[in-house]
Amino acid sequence: MDEALTPLDCLLPSGNQKICLILLNQPIDKNYLDILWKKALLKACADGAANHLHNITAGCRDSFLPNYISGDFDSITAEVKAFYADKGCKLMETADQDFTDFTKCLSIMLGQIQQQQLQVDAIVTLGGLAGRLDQTMASIETLHHALNMTTLPVIIIQETSLAMLLRPGSHTLEVNTGLEGEWCSLIPVGGPCQTCTSGLKWNLDNQVLQFGKLVSTSNTYEPQPPGEPRKPVTITTDQPLLWSMGVRKL
Ligand SMILES: Cc1ncc(C[n+]2csc(CCOP(=O)(O)OP(=O)(O)O)c2C)c(N)n1
Ligand SMILES: O=c1ccn([C@@H]2O[C@H](COP(=O)(O)O)[C@@H](O)[C@H]2O)c(=O)[nH]1
């Protein structure tokens, strides 16, 4: 399968991707929130994310009401829960302790997209890449579940990092929005990945990426002559491969 995507289109105010937004239990960047919220067809909070949303939108909370808040509700405060319930936001308790609140929130969102027959280009998640290490690793694991749950790209953004899992096949990533940071990486989180790339400073030519052997961190884009646009990055992999890239602070 050949997939084309501009990962940072979602953060461009002028970007044309249609998205749905999931907030996780991490500090929220208000600049990111403002841009993503306007575009999102559905918005959701996973449990304690609602506390952050409530806090960061003080003074304008009614303009930032999520469609639903889901989770095992061990983190959302009673005050925040009551606030959003009173405003008519759906509270969906997902008590299951075998999947994270992120995975369960994503599963609900995909159900809603299908039920409402929404045309969506990507699911964007804010949070999930910092705070507790086990939760960060779980976020990457959720991306693995997502490959079996949807054909939509699931993009996680927090602070100056973006992460997404490339499914086996060929991908073309446009990296010329102006929001890209310097670094990018290909990390074989689920197991060895035979990989070919172009458009990077350190390309791979059918090499196997594998922990303990070769991992492509601190990579960057192929330098272009002055005035020429940056070329897309192409990646072919035989197994799910984590792409991550720097995001310039807005
Ligand atoms: C083998 C195994 N290890 C650990 C767990 C525990 N576990 C996995 S996901 C999950 C729910 C986590 O919920 P979430 O709200 O995402 O994280 P929290 O902040 O509660 O840690 C739990 C308790 C399990 N069910 N199975
Ligand atoms: O340090 C953290 C803590 C949480 N997350 C993500 O947020 C959701 C919801 O968290 P709760 O603690 O249940 O409110 C969790 O499933 C993680 O995906 C995180 O990324 N980092």
Side-chain angles (χ1 to χ4, degrees):
M1 196 185 350
D2 207 338
E3 286 191 305
L5 186 73
T6 307
L8 281 167
D9 177 275
C10 61
L11 284 183
L12 283 176
S14 59
N16 49 25
Q17 265 176 11
K18 294 191 178 63
I19 64 155
C20 288
L21 178 64
I22 293 177
L23 303 179
L24 299 180
N25 186 5
Q26 279 292 285
I28 297 170
D29 182 311
K30 185 67 165 50
N31 292 327
Y32 292 169
L33 183 74
D34 285 339
I35 292 170
L36 295 169
W37 197 272
K38 275 194 202 117
K39 298 182 178 195
L41 302 178
L42 290 176
K43 299 114 179 165
C45 291
D47 200 355
N51 301 335
H52 291 284
L53 181 67
H54 187 260
N55 182 36
I56 202 172
T57 57
C60 56
R61 287 195 185 118
D62 286 358
S63 307
F64 290 89
L65 298 175
N67 296 83
Y68 67 91
I69 300 169
S70 64
D72 53 11
F73 294 155
D74 61 352
S75 304
I76 189 171
T77 66
E79 182 206 344
V80 169
K81 203 172 169 185
F83 173 83
Y84 287 112
D86 187 53
K87 296 286 178 185
C89 304
K90 263 188 263 174
L91 294 174
M92 305 170 89
E93 187 159 358
T94 52
D96 184 315
Q97 292 296 293
D98 287 335
F99 294 100
T100 64
D101 283 342
F102 177 18
T103 303
K104 292 180 282 183
C105 190
L106 175 64
S107 170
I108 292 171
M109 183 156 279
L110 294 170
Q112 303 260 316
I113 290 170
Q114 207 169 26
Q115 205 184 339
Q116 298 179 37
Q117 301 189 321
L118 300 176
Q119 294 302 311
V120 175
D121 299 308
I123 311 276
V124 180
T125 300
L126 279 186
L129 300 179
R132 283 171 43 184
L133 178 63
D134 67 328
Q135 293 281 25
T136 302
M137 298 302 286
S139 297
I140 306 304
E141 209 263 333
T142 299
L143 296 182
H144 283 77
H145 284 290
L147 292 191
N148 300 317
M149 294 160 74
T150 179
T151 55
L152 294 174
V154 179
I155 295 170
I156 306 180
I157 298 172
Q158 184 166 1
E159 297 169 9
T160 54
S161 297
L162 176 153
M164 54 185 276
L165 192 66
L166 304 175
R167 63 181 73 240
S170 296
H171 304 264
T172 301
L173 303 181
E174 295 291 342
V175 287
N176 206 21
T177 64
L179 298 180
E180 291 76 14
E182 285 298 306
W183 64 272
C184 58
S185 77
L186 287 165
I187 306 181
V189 275
C193 296
Q194 193 164 0
T195 309
C196 280
T197 67
S198 70
L200 298 176
K201 179 166 178 185
W202 287 276
N203 281 303
L204 296 150
D205 181 12
N206 253 332
Q207 283 141 290
V208 175
L209 293 173
Q210 184 175 2
F211 275 75
K213 297 228 163 106
L214 176 65
V215 168
S216 178
T217 53
S218 300
N219 210 327
T220 190
Y221 306 103
E222 186 183 314
Q224 296 302 307
E228 284 201 20
R230 184 181 281 156
K231 284 200 285 195
V233 173
T234 68
I235 303 156
T236 303
T237 177
D238 67 341
Q239 293 298 325
L241 178 59
L242 189 74
W243 165 260
S244 62
M245 64 196 290
V247 184
R248 278 184 202 282
K249 267 276 182 209
L250 298 180

